[in-house]
Amino acid sequence: MILISPFTFGEEKSGPLIAVDWGSTNLRACLLINAAVVEQIETGDGIKNIPNGNFESVLGEHTADWRNKHSDCRFLLSGMIGSREGWVEVPYVQTPAGLSEIRAGLHRFESPELGHIAIVPGISHENPDGTIDVMRGEESQVLELLADTGRGNAIICLPGTHSKWIECRDGRIVRFRTWVTGEAFELLSSSPLLAKGDAPDCHSKAFGRGIELARKSESGLLHQLFLGRTEMLMGRVPAADLPSLLSGLLISTELCEAEIWLGENASREAFLPVGPSQLIDCYQVVIQHFKQKAD
Amino acid sequence: MILISPFTFGEEKSGPLIAVDWGSTNLRACLLINAAVVEQIETGDGIKNIPNGNFESVLGEHTADWRNKHSDCRFLLSGMIGSREGWVEVPYVQTPAGLSEIRAGLHRFESPELGHIAIVPGISHENPDGTIDVMRGEESQVLELLADTGRGNAIICLPGTHSKWIECRDGRIVRFRTWVTGEAFELLSSSPLLAKGDAPDCHSKAFGRGIELARKSESGLLHQLFLGRTEMLMGRVPAADLPSLLSGLLISTELCEAEIWLGENASREAFLPVGPSQLIDCYQVVIQHFKQKAD
């Protein structure tokens, strides 16, 4: 569960540390003593569930026991807590960014109630066409993963609501791209015309048909979504399986586009998909399907 | 408002005719005497709003006055009433399809309460990749439009929930394609992360930015949807204008893909966009933008 260690951000010499991964929907916190996790909690107090910007007191309540036992706790916060909707909006650090750039971008301040707080900045990446992609929280996860695996170079996939592909060179994030695969699934699967039925199953025929539609049909997503409906009308896919087809279609669309975006780098390094295991299964099924068809 | 005339389906000799455009959300009916519309009604009794498949009595109620005044009314029904969720599922007629093919596919039966009823079949089109597209109701609209304009060849765009592009040759529908542009807008604009704000305005800067993202960025829709969010984060588009950006992005995506699909035929015939005027405005703005950039 721990996503940020004191080593990562050079905070190891500062005594007890409370490392917090504070996202939109969850708050995960660890107490570290001598750089070892001794306790951890997880709550639903993500920043969007906290009224009136009351971040200081919510964090204070959840960590009161730890702070009573250990004086002089320092805080290291990562994730959406540093966004516009968070406690303080911490400016993005631009790619390429590794440990030293992120350390330099840490936003430090003294909280009257809680003492020293450092918020990890997000990272932004400017595409060649002038558009900009952003992350907040994933950078900590990626740097931990590089440290854990001893790699400097990697292509990392973080599936989720806003799925991200991240390319790392020499321990730094050099570029990344976001696909709204998870959120699109949630929104589109609420439509009875497009996909309403059973929970998606990545081992179903319908999921495989979704993969094929994304890979083989000569059209884009807005047409392919309608093809899901006609597959049902033509008796090729049961209505209850349309969410599986939708899931296969969206994940494959992401993977096809990620392959193009990564170019020759795609095959040079192993992907390291990280995320909830059920979702990782889906991605592995699609990757496997791509490999088989390429053979 | 009239979408099906007795001429269209060769019913002109049969005395009083009640022509009904019976879609998912609305029921529109006209009384025709000697092939001229003398009365018409529009109600919200679309097929999805009618419980227990009670189509006969709902239609009977709405047309009782007409039938009392004119004995021997015949019925011609078009639209989703002929779908799986409708009164009778009428098999699709395959492309190429014009008047004679559709007439041959009319489903006729005697209703105990209402007398002679004919239901217009939908049309299906098999793409070269084996996927199948379908329409129900639009075929009547298209054939009326060809008759009204005296054209045999045309490329017709029917924007809407499930937007359709239809290619006609010699008075027959030879191929068509559906994009779920309207439905995707409805579903995606409900997300505060992707686009929640004011009603879309096709003359706004944000709408134009949506067009540019679809046309210029080197990525697909699932990434471009995220770019809408970052445009807002970077201060390029106000949060309240994100629905405009989303609308421009989706409509442009449809038009870009329709251009590719139509190929050289795209420039040979004028497009004839038909639909609610506000939506037509949006499409015209995008088409104009495409033309200017091409000059």
Side-chain angles (χ1 to χ4, degrees):
Chain A
M1 188 199 92
I2 178 170
L3 296 179
I4 22 179
S5 82
F7 292 116
T8 310
F9 296 106
E11 304 278 294
E12 64 267 34
K13 292 164 193 155
S14 53
L17 182 98
I18 296 173
V20 184
D21 171 23
W22 204 341
S24 293
T25 42
N26 292 299
L27 181 163
R28 300 182 185 92
C30 303
L31 171 66
L32 297 111
I33 307 287
N34 297 325
V37 176
V38 291
E39 284 192 71
Q40 53 192 36
I41 55 162
E42 178 163 357
T43 87
D45 281 342
I47 67 158
K48 72 174 181 191
N49 305 326
I50 295 173
N52 310 318
N54 214 2
F55 303 109
E56 185 173 26
S57 66
V58 169
L59 186 60
E61 282 167 33
H62 286 305
T63 59
D65 286 352
W66 298 349
R67 288 181 297 115
N68 286 339
K69 277 187 250 172
H70 305 276
S71 59
D72 295 329
C73 283
R74 297 164 71 87
F75 285 84
L76 182 62
L77 314 183
S78 170
M80 293 302 280
I81 189 66
S83 72
R84 192 168 301 174
E85 290 77 32
W87 195 341
V88 183
E89 186 175 4
V90 183
Y92 293 103
V93 171
Q94 288 177 25
T95 53
L99 265 182
S100 60
E101 289 83 3
I102 291 176
R103 269 182 207 157
L106 282 175
H107 177 81
R108 299 177 179 280
F109 64 103
E110 298 297 320
S111 145
E113 199 184 321
L114 304 175
H116 184 78
I117 290 179
I119 301 184
V120 178
I123 298 184
S124 66
H125 174 69
E126 185 167 347
N127 293 306
D129 61 12
T131 58
I132 293 173
D133 211 319
V134 297
M135 64 166 71
R136 271 198 199 275
E138 291 92 345
E139 70 295 327
S140 303
Q141 218 173 336
V142 165
L143 294 177
E144 278 301 302
L145 199 67
L146 292 183
D148 283 357
T149 58
R151 283 164 179 263
N153 299 337
I155 288 163
I156 296 169
C157 170
L158 302 172
T161 306
H162 293 171
S163 189
K164 282 178 164 37
W165 287 77
I166 300 145
E167 188 173 346
C168 303
R169 294 266 159 268
D170 304 322
R172 296 163 95 201
I173 293 170
V174 293
R175 61 175 187 149
F176 61 92
R177 179 160 286 190
T178 306
W179 284 261
V180 299
T181 311
E183 183 155 14
F185 177 81
E186 286 305 318
L187 295 167
L188 298 172
S189 64
S190 67
S191 158
L193 279 173
L194 295 183
K196 203 162 183 176
D198 299 339
D201 169 9
C202 66
H203 301 291
S204 66
K205 264 190 173 179
F207 188 86
R209 186 63 184 145
I211 299 175
E212 283 172 1
L213 285 181
R215 299 202 75 201
K216 287 188 185 167
S217 85
E218 10 126 87
S219 58
L221 195 56
L222 287 178
H223 172 54
Q224 288 162 354
L225 287 168
F226 189 72
L227 292 182
R229 179 168 169 77
T230 62
E231 290 287 301
M232 181 272 286
L233 284 173
M234 298 301 150
R236 295 175 178 173
V237 170
D241 291 356
L242 285 182
S244 291
L245 185 148
L246 176 65
S247 176
L249 174 60
L250 293 176
I251 293 175
S252 298
T253 300
E254 175 190 327
L255 264 67
C256 285
E257 291 176 13
E259 265 192 350
I260 294 169
W261 176 68
L262 289 164
E264 59 174 16
N265 297 332
S267 51
R268 279 218 307 252
E269 281 98 12
F271 302 135
L272 297 171
V274 177
S277 65
Q278 207 183 342
L279 205 50
I280 296 298
D281 276 356
C282 294
Y283 277 69
Q284 296 291 13
V285 166
V286 177
I287 290 170
Q288 200 55 39
H289 186 102
F290 282 26
K291 276 188 188 156
Q292 279 168 358
K293 298 287 166 165
D295 289 344
Chain B
M1 189 200 92
I2 178 172
L3 296 180
I4 24 179
S5 82
F7 293 115
T8 310
F9 297 106
E11 304 279 295
E12 64 266 36
K13 292 164 193 158
S14 54
L17 182 97
I18 296 173
V20 184
D21 171 24
W22 205 340
S24 294
T25 43
N26 293 297
L27 182 163
R28 299 181 185 91
C30 302
L31 172 66
L32 296 112
I33 309 287
N34 297 324
V37 176
V38 292
E39 285 192 71
Q40 51 192 39
I41 55 162
E42 178 163 357
T43 86
D45 279 343
I47 67 158
K48 72 174 182 190
N49 304 325
I50 294 174
N52 308 320
N54 216 2
F55 303 111
E56 186 173 26
S57 67
V58 169
L59 186 60
E61 282 168 31
H62 286 305
T63 60
D65 287 351
W66 299 348
R67 288 182 296 116
N68 287 339
K69 278 187 250 173
H70 306 275
S71 59
D72 294 327
C73 282
R74 296 164 70 85
F75 285 84
L76 182 62
L77 313 183
S78 169
M80 293 302 280
I81 190 66
S83 72
R84 191 168 302 174
E85 290 78 31
W87 195 342
V88 183
E89 185 175 5
V90 183
Y92 294 102
V93 171
Q94 287 177 24
T95 52
L99 266 184
S100 60
E101 290 83 3
I102 291 175
R103 270 183 205 156
L106 281 175
H107 177 80
R108 298 177 180 282
F109 64 102
E110 299 297 320
S111 145
E113 198 184 321
L114 303 173
H116 184 78
I117 291 179
I119 301 184
V120 178
I123 299 183
S124 66
H125 174 69
E126 184 166 346
N127 292 305
D129 61 12
T131 58
I132 293 174
D133 211 318
V134 297
M135 61 166 73
R136 270 199 201 275
E138 292 92 347
E139 70 293 328
S140 303
Q141 218 174 336
V142 165
L143 293 177
E144 278 301 302
L145 198 68
L146 292 183
D148 283 356
T149 57
R151 284 164 178 262
N153 299 337
I155 287 162
I156 297 168
C157 170
L158 301 172
T161 306
H162 293 170
S163 191
K164 282 178 164 36
W165 287 77
I166 299 145
E167 188 172 345
C168 303
R169 293 267 159 266
D170 304 322
R172 297 162 95 204
I173 294 170
V174 293
R175 59 174 188 151
F176 62 91
R177 180 161 286 189
T178 306
W179 283 261
V180 300
T181 311
E183 182 156 13
F185 177 81
E186 286 306 318
L187 295 167
L188 297 172
S189 64
S190 67
S191 158
L193 278 173
L194 295 183
K196 203 162 186 178
D198 298 340
D201 169 9
C202 66
H203 302 291
S204 65
K205 264 190 171 176
F207 188 86
R209 187 63 184 143
I211 300 174
E212 285 172 359
L213 285 181
R215 298 202 77 202
K216 288 188 185 169
S217 85
E218 9 123 88
S219 57
L221 195 55
L222 287 178
H223 172 53
Q224 288 161 354
L225 287 167
F226 190 72
L227 292 180
R229 179 169 169 77
T230 61
E231 290 286 301
M232 181 272 286
L233 284 173
M234 298 300 151
R236 295 174 178 175
V237 170
D241 291 357
L242 285 182
S244 291
L245 185 148
L246 176 65
S247 176
L249 173 60
L250 292 176
I251 293 174
S252 299
T253 300
E254 175 190 328
L255 264 69
C256 286
E257 291 177 11
E259 266 192 350
I260 293 169
W261 176 67
L262 289 164
E264 59 176 18
N265 297 332
S267 51
R268 279 217 307 253
E269 282 97 12
F271 302 137
L272 296 172
V274 176
S277 65
Q278 206 183 344
L279 205 49
I280 296 298
D281 278 355
C282 295
Y283 278 68
Q284 296 292 14
V285 167
V286 176
I287 290 170
Q288 202 53 39
H289 187 103
F290 281 26
K291 277 187 187 155
Q292 279 169 358
K293 298 288 166 165
D295 290 343

